[in-house]
Amino acid sequence: MKVLKFGGTSVGSAERMKMVADLINDGSPKIVVLSAMSGTTNQLVQIAETLYQNANQEANALIDALHDKYKQVVEALYQTDEKKKQALELISLHFDHIRSFTLDLFTIYEERAVLAQGELLSTALFQFFLEEQGIASVLLPALNFMKIDENEEPDTAYISKNLKLELEKYPETNLFITQGYICRNAFGEVDNLKRGGSDYSASLIGAAADASEIQIWTDIDGMHNNDPRVVKDTFPIAELSFDEAAELAYFGAKILHPSSVQPAKQKNIPVRLLNTMQPQAHGTTISAQTGKGGIKAVAAKDGITAIKIKSGRMLLAYGFLRSVFEVFERYKTPIDMITTSEVAVSLTIDNPKFLTEITRELQEYGQVEVDQNQSIICIVGDFIAERSGSGLKIFEALKDIPLRMISYGGSKNNISLLINTTDKERSLILLNEGIFERNQKNA
Ligand code: ADP
Ligand code: ASP
Ligand code: MG
C-alpha cells in the first residue's frame, strides 16, 4: 500500500483534478490524501474572521463568491447532467452549513468546522469524478480515524486502530480517497492539524497503514536547496535523510509541514516529494540513507522571539537552567534554539502567546531582554561527514549580516543562526551564492 498526498495546487482546478485521477489510476493499492483546492482554506479563514466580527453581510458575500467558484468547478469537472446535479447538491449542503454560522454565536468550534469544509469538498468532488469515470474507489472520512489528543499531538494508537477498521470494511477495494488536514480532537470535536497539515495527515496515515512509500505531490520538483520564493537560482535535492528533511521542514521549508517527517521516520517509510506538473521529474527521496556529506540546503523560519536571561550569579548554579526550562514547560512553549555564556542564556521561541507571563516569571532569575521579529536561518547537511570548511563558508557568506545567536553541534545535521527578519532575504541570497558548489547546482 502506498499513500499519495496531493496539495492544493495539484487539485486546484477541474483540469488538475483530472490529471490527478490519471496519475493514480494504475490499479495498485493506495490511499490518496487530498488538500482543499488552492485558495479555499485562505478564503475560509477570511470568512471565519468576518464571522468573528459579526460582519454577516460581508461574510455572506464571501460565502456566495466561494460557492460560485465551486459551481464553476462542477460545470468543468463532470460530463453528465446527473453527476453535475449530484455535485451541485452536495456543494450546496456544505455552503449552507457555512451559511448557518452567520446566524448564531461564532467561536473557535464553529471556526474549525468552517475550516474543515475545504478538504470535505475537494475529496467529495474528486470521488464523484472517479465514479463518473468508472474508477472503483471508496471515500474514507478522515474524521472517523484521524485524532489529536489533549496536547494536540496525534493519537497514533487510535489512528492506527481506526484506520485499519475503516480499511477492513472494504476488502475488495484498492483505491481509497481521504481528507488531509482535518481531524477530531480529544473532545471529539472537528479540529485540524494546522495550516499545511495535509502532509502530516499523509505521513500519519502512511505510518498507521505500514505503507511502503509516502508520496507528497506538489507544485515543485522536490525540496530545493533554498527557498524558491526568495532566491532565484535554486535546485532540487535528490536525496535527504529523515533528520535533514525534518530540520528543513521544521525550520521553514514550506513544501513540508513542520512535523510531517517524524511519523515516516519512526516506521522507516521513504517519503518522495514529487511534482504533479512534471510527474517524470526525480524529485526528492527522504529515507534513512544520507546522501553525500556537506551542506545540502537552507531554510528560514520567521516570527521568532529571542529571550535573554542575564544572571552572573546564578547561571552556573546547579539547577538554574532547569528552573528556566520549567517556566517554558509550564506555558507549554517549546524552545527552538539555545546558547549559553557564563553570564547569560539566550533562547528562542516561535509561539509568543504566553510571552508576558514567561517574561514575568523569568525575571525572578535575572534581567530579561526580549527581541521580536527575528528569523532562524537553518543550514542543513551532514556536517560530521564533511568535517571541515562548512563553518568558514557560512560565516564568509554572511560577513555583513549581524548574527544574534549561533547554534552548532546540537545535531550533526544543523547549523542555526538567529538574525533580524529584515536581513532574511539578503542572507538567503548571500548563502545561495556562497555555500553551494557549482557541480551541485548542475546535478
Ligand atoms: P501544497 O499546496 O502542494 O501543499 P505548498 O505551497 O504547501 O504546496 O508547498 C510547496 C511550495 O513550497 C513551493 O511552491 C515553494 O514555493 C515552497 N517552498 C518553500 N521552501 C521550499 C524548498 N526549500 N523547496 C521546495 N519548495 C519550497
Ligand atoms: N488546506 C490546508 C491549508 O491550506 C491544509 C493543506 O493544504 O495542507 O493549510
Ligand atoms: Mg503544503
Side-chain angles (χ1 to χ4, degrees):
M1 177 78 94
K2 287 186 183 174
V3 174
L4 285 75
K5 174 256 169 176
F6 292 87
T9 325
S10 306
V11 292
S13 64
E15 278 320 301
R16 295 245 181 275
M17 284 206 191
K18 291 177 189 174
M19 278 169 67
V20 171
D22 274 348
L23 270 170
I24 62 168
N25 187 22
D26 64 4
S28 67
K30 50 179 82 73
I31 303 176
V32 174
V33 179
L34 300 187
S35 292
M37 297 180 78
S38 58
T40 296
T41 310
N42 284 346
Q43 274 155 321
L44 293 171
V45 167
Q46 211 191 337
I47 290 168
E49 277 167 8
T50 320
L51 288 171
Y52 270 122
Q53 292 157 10
N54 286 324
N56 287 353
Q57 218 178 335
E58 205 183 317
N60 273 319
L62 290 170
I63 298 167
D64 289 347
L66 192 59
H67 194 169
D68 284 345
K69 227 167 106 175
Y70 275 85
K71 285 180 193 161
Q72 286 165 24
V73 172
V74 168
E75 193 49 51
L77 187 57
Y78 308 103
Q79 281 167 0
T80 61
D81 287 343
E82 189 199 339
K83 261 299 177 245
K84 285 183 191 174
K85 185 164 169 276
Q86 205 182 347
L88 285 174
E89 277 167 13
L90 178 108
I91 63 169
S92 285
L93 283 180
H94 286 275
F95 283 97
D96 286 347
H97 187 50
I98 303 175
R99 278 188 198 95
S100 73
F101 298 121
T102 59
L103 304 173
D104 218 335
L105 195 67
F106 196 76
T107 71
I108 188 154
Y109 309 106
E110 286 78 22
E111 178 185 4
R112 289 171 182 153
V114 168
L115 295 187
Q117 300 308 311
E119 273 69 11
L120 292 169
L121 278 163
S122 63
T123 47
L125 291 178
F126 189 67
Q127 170 68 19
F128 280 169
F129 180 69
L130 296 177
E131 282 170 16
E132 193 181 54
Q133 297 298 307
I135 302 171
S137 64
V138 166
L139 180 59
L140 290 184
L143 296 179
N144 287 1
F145 61 84
M146 192 53 78
K147 191 170 169 103
I148 50 174
D149 62 19
E150 54 283 1
N151 295 316
E152 301 196 351
E153 292 295 328
D155 184 343
T156 48
Y158 180 98
I159 297 167
S160 242
K161 184 174 151 231
N162 287 282
L163 176 62
K164 282 184 185 136
L165 287 175
E166 287 291 317
L167 294 172
E168 278 164 10
K169 286 186 200 162
Y170 310 97
E172 307 297 318
T173 304
N174 250 348
L175 178 58
F176 295 94
I177 313 299
T178 193
Q179 299 87 15
Y181 180 60
I182 63 173
C183 62
R184 289 200 186 273
N185 61 25
F187 312 102
E189 299 149 357
V190 174
D191 209 324
N192 61 66
L193 301 175
K194 308 269 162 23
R195 294 305 306 271
S198 298
D199 304 326
Y200 201 16
S201 302
S203 184
L204 289 164
I205 290 169
D210 288 312
S212 57
E213 186 171 291
I214 297 161
Q215 299 180 354
I216 306 287
W217 288 83
T218 181
D219 57 3
I220 189 164
D221 54 349
M223 177 76 80
H224 277 217
N225 69 312
N226 205 328
D227 192 330
R229 295 166 299 177
V230 177
V231 180
K232 274 198 215 111
D233 188 17
T234 63
F235 54 90
I237 308 160
E239 275 179 55
L240 284 171
S241 70
F242 287 121
D243 289 342
E244 290 166 341
E247 300 270 16
L248 288 168
Y250 187 74
F251 286 109
K254 192 195 169 219
I255 186 169
L256 280 177
H257 177 280
S259 312
S260 58
V261 178
Q262 200 52 34
K265 181 189 167 181
Q266 253 165 15
K267 288 278 183 95
N268 196 16
I269 304 169
V271 180
R272 296 183 63 201
L273 308 182
L274 295 160
N275 187 353
T276 324
M277 284 23 123
Q278 233 181 294
Q280 302 314 325
H282 178 282
T284 300
T285 303
I286 302 166
S287 70
Q289 258 107 47
T290 313
K292 69 181 179 64
I295 298 173
K296 296 231 177 100
V298 175
K301 183 172 172 181
D302 297 335
I304 304 293
T305 303
I307 303 171
K308 187 195 283 177
I309 307 122
K310 265 173 112 168
S311 174
R313 215 165 29 85
M314 296 278 293
L315 185 66
L316 292 178
Y318 184 70
F320 172 78
L321 282 178
R322 192 190 61 192
S323 312
V324 167
F325 288 155
E326 275 172 356
V327 173
F328 291 89
E329 198 182 328
R330 269 197 291 285
Y331 292 100
K332 291 190 175 171
T333 301
I335 296 169
D336 282 337
M337 263 177 97
I338 170 156
T339 57
T340 60
S341 81
E342 200 172 325
V343 294
V345 50
S346 273
L347 36 82
T348 69
I349 57 171
D350 74 350
N351 180 358
K353 191 169 169 200
F354 296 108
L355 185 58
T356 316
E357 292 85 344
I358 288 172
T359 311
R360 195 180 52 232
E361 290 201 23
L362 288 175
Q363 273 156 355
E364 269 182 46
Y365 304 105
Q367 192 189 328
V368 180
E369 283 172 30
V370 173
D371 285 322
Q372 288 183 292
N373 301 320
Q374 306 286 300
S375 293
I376 293 177
I377 302 255
C378 166
I379 300 140
V380 160
D382 186 8
F383 294 112
I384 298 295
E386 202 201 31
R387 295 219 175 264
S388 63
S390 305
L392 179 66
K393 277 194 228 166
I394 293 165
F395 293 118
E396 180 65 32
L398 296 180
K399 62 179 186 296
D400 295 326
I401 305 284
L403 304 177
R404 167 81 171 69
M405 279 169 73
I406 300 168
S407 170
Y408 176 47
S411 83
K412 70 182 176 74
N413 298 118
N414 171 328
I415 297 177
S416 299
L417 309 168
L418 189 73
I419 57 164
N420 269 317
T421 300
T422 45
D423 289 326
K424 183 190 79 171
E425 294 205 5
R426 199 154 66 98
S427 301
L428 289 179
I429 293 166
L430 287 169
L431 285 168
N432 219 53
E433 287 161 5
I435 66 176
F436 295 101
E437 306 288 339
R438 278 265 148 245
N439 61 0
Q440 245 179 302
K441 291 189 188 177
N442 297 333

